[in-house]
Amino acid sequence: MVTIKKLHSIRKGQVFDMLKKVFNKIKNSLWLTPALYSAIGLCIAILTITLDMYFNEHYEKFVPDIFLTSVDLATEILATLSSALITMTTFTFSMTMVVLTTYSSQFSPRALPNFMTQKATMRVLGIFLGGFIYSINSLLFMRNSLDNEFVISAVIGVFITIICLLFFIYFIHFIAKSIQVDNLIENIAEETLKSSKDIKNKMRDHKLTTVKQYSPPYLYGHSYYAKSSDYIKRVEMEELVSLAATKYIFIKIHHKIGEFITDNTLLFTIYSDEANLEEGVMKECADYITLGRKRSPSQDLAYSLQQLVEIALRATSPAINDPYTAKHCIRNVGKVLAESNTILDGDSLYMDTENQPRLLIPMEDLNNLLYFTFNQFNIEKRKDIIILGAIMDALIMTAQKCSDDNKKILWSFLAYKTFSFDELHQLHPYDQKFLEIKKQKLFEVTH
């Protein structure tokens, strides 16, 4: 009996985890919000049609005459409203495409999801689609049998259209605000900081420690190889720790989040004291590691920083020549690195509730992260001093909150970025003073 109950509990947990994954996938999709508003518009249309066709005589006594119209007038109003709403929807789609083109050409192609996943964008499109669906369905069911009666559908359609107009005004304001590069940079930085904070909270809940190397004390290792060539988008850490604690196993992931792997690449290894794993454990573990053709910024710190770096590089190009935007991006990179310092000290080792190691995830090393973040900025000429100063500000912000080992990395990285620069005595005294002040401040923080 105990075995049957345990099996039933495991199956119930697997079904719950599967439903959770499906729910998260639907929640993050672009079509969910427009579909919900369209369904609401359809439900309101069905309700008003039902009232007009079957309960007309009952509500006429309680509804003021000003809210009731004849069928002919209602038909004209609803036809006009449906035409206007589909025009507004088309115009909104056109504006959205213009913004996406601007994001791709002026900022970064990687920044496109930052606009499309905004709730305001999908909400406005959903409101317009819901209003159009209401108008066209109400118009469809205007019957000849109602010629001698009054209906309320037209007035409700007018109120819905007024709401759509208010949202349209809001959308114009939202577009004007979103297309400003400073707001885009702040949004990317805030989303990255939020993701980093979520990871740190999970680390705290599972008593995480950072290790340079760890060998699990188990007899057998069971390897799992990737079935396709994709990026590692996300790892469900809590679920993996819970699974490992339930099965008395240890899970070691061999690749970082955001890393591209090919098929037949060793993805993870499960260590246990049993020569044979329980059926389904390997597949269940693989289900908690999300692979995809595109990287996701939810847990991928390097990808989020890459978006900021690409905006900065485009700003420093001769075609745009906007050093202020580049400085703003680089300083936000420093802010993100400073707040994420605790997850850059080594691989993440997660514990269960009994302080037993259950999961090991390799994390991005600060040295590599600095290199792939700042190596694209060529600091060789005097005009690059402004960019070098911004990079030094980012290093100073990071050094104020990182460990002693990482402080040494930051100081050595500054030497790397300035090795090809002219000797200070060949620079103008103002340039020498500017660099010396920042270099001295970084030295004080790192030593």
Side-chain angles (χ1 to χ4, degrees), residues 219-237:
L219 297 176
Y220 302 97
H222 309 273
S223 300
Y224 180 89
Y225 295 88
K227 308 299 183 183
S228 60
S229 299
D230 288 306
Y231 289 100
I232 300 178
K233 296 180 62 175
R234 185 177 180 84
V235 175
E236 303 298 338
M237 304 159 190

Side-chain angles (χ1 to χ4, degrees), residues 192-193 196 200 301-302 305 308 330-344 364-366 369-370 373-374 391 394-395 397-399 401-402 406 410:
T192 307
L193 290 173
S196 176
K200 289 193 291 185
L301 178 62
L305 294 179
L308 294 173
I330 294 172
R331 285 169 179 165
N332 274 276
V333 168
K335 181 170 68 174
V336 172
L337 289 175
E339 296 299 327
S340 307
N341 67 89
T342 55
I343 61 177
L344 301 174
E364 192 65 66
D365 180 73
L366 179 61
L369 195 60
L370 288 173
T373 301
F374 294 123
I391 293 177
L395 297 180
M397 282 188 285
T398 307
K401 294 187 176 182
C402 68
N406 283 338
L410 292 169

Side-chain angles (χ1 to χ4, degrees), residues 93-292:
F93 272 109
S94 300
M95 292 180 62
T96 301
M97 294 307 298
V98 170
V99 173
L100 293 180
T101 302
T102 303
Y103 268 50
S104 179
S105 60
Q106 304 244 351
F107 305 146
S108 169
R110 256 63 61 184
L112 296 181
N114 292 85
F115 177 77
M116 290 304 299
T117 54
Q118 291 281 344
K119 292 182 179 179
T121 306
M122 296 296 102
R123 193 172 293 155
V124 170
L125 292 176
I127 286 287
F128 291 163
L129 290 175
F132 173 74
I133 289 176
Y134 169 83
S135 300
I136 202 69
N137 280 279
S138 298
L139 185 63
L140 177 65
F141 288 93
M142 283 293 163
R143 304 296 186 184
N144 294 330
S145 59
L146 298 175
D147 282 345
N148 298 324
E149 300 176 359
F150 292 94
V151 295
I152 199 173
S153 299
V155 175
I156 295 177
V158 170
F159 282 119
I160 291 177
T161 305
I162 293 174
I163 295 175
C164 291
L165 287 174
L166 294 176
F167 270 88
F168 183 72
I169 296 172
Y170 165 75
F171 186 67
I172 296 295
H173 170 74
F174 173 74
I175 288 290
K177 185 177 179 181
S178 298
I179 209 168
Q180 298 177 20
V181 65
D182 287 347
N183 292 328
L184 173 62
I185 294 171
E186 292 295 333
N187 290 337
I188 294 175
E190 290 299 324
E191 290 178 5
T192 307
L193 290 173
K194 182 180 178 181
S195 301
S196 176
K197 184 177 180 181
D198 292 340
I199 294 176
K200 289 193 291 185
N201 289 338
K202 291 179 180 180
M203 290 179 174
R204 184 185 65 249
D205 295 339
H206 292 285
K207 304 178 182 64
L208 177 137
T209 57
T210 55
V211 294
K212 301 299 181 182
Q213 188 175 3
Y214 178 78
S215 298
Y218 293 90
L219 297 176
Y220 302 97
H222 309 273
S223 300
Y224 180 89
Y225 295 88
K227 308 299 183 183
S228 60
S229 299
D230 288 306
Y231 289 100
I232 300 178
K233 296 180 62 175
R234 185 177 180 84
V235 175
E236 303 298 338
M237 304 159 190
E238 295 178 345
E239 286 78 1
L240 287 175
V241 172
S242 177
L243 174 65
T246 303
K247 305 296 183 181
Y248 300 101
I249 59 177
F250 180 85
I251 304 170
K252 180 181 179 180
I253 300 175
H254 295 279
H255 299 277
K256 304 172 185 175
I257 298 175
E259 190 172 343
F260 184 81
I261 59 174
T262 58
D263 56 337
N264 295 324
T265 299
L266 179 60
L267 181 58
F268 63 84
T269 301
I270 296 179
Y271 295 91
S272 69
D273 289 328
E274 302 293 334
N276 297 315
L277 281 176
E278 294 184 23
E279 183 179 357
V281 174
M282 191 75 74
K283 184 180 182 303
E284 187 176 357
C285 182
D287 289 339
Y288 291 128
I289 303 175
T290 305
L291 304 179

Side-chain angles (χ1 to χ4, degrees), residues 16 18 38 64 68 76 80 89-90 108 114 136 191 195 234 271 308 332-333 351 353 361 373 385 399 406 417 434:
F16 176 77
M18 183 180 67
S38 299
L68 300 175
E76 294 180 6
T80 304
T89 304
T90 304
S108 169
N114 292 85
I136 202 69
E191 290 178 5
S195 301
R234 185 177 180 84
Y271 295 91
L308 294 173
N332 274 276
V333 168
M351 310 288 185
T353 54
I361 301 179
T373 301
I385 290 180
N406 283 338
K417 288 306 296 180
F434 174 77

Side-chain angles (χ1 to χ4, degrees), residues 64-79:
D65 294 340
I66 195 174
F67 294 123
L68 300 175
T69 61
S70 64
V71 173
D72 292 337
L73 180 59
T75 302
E76 294 180 6
I77 292 175
L78 291 173

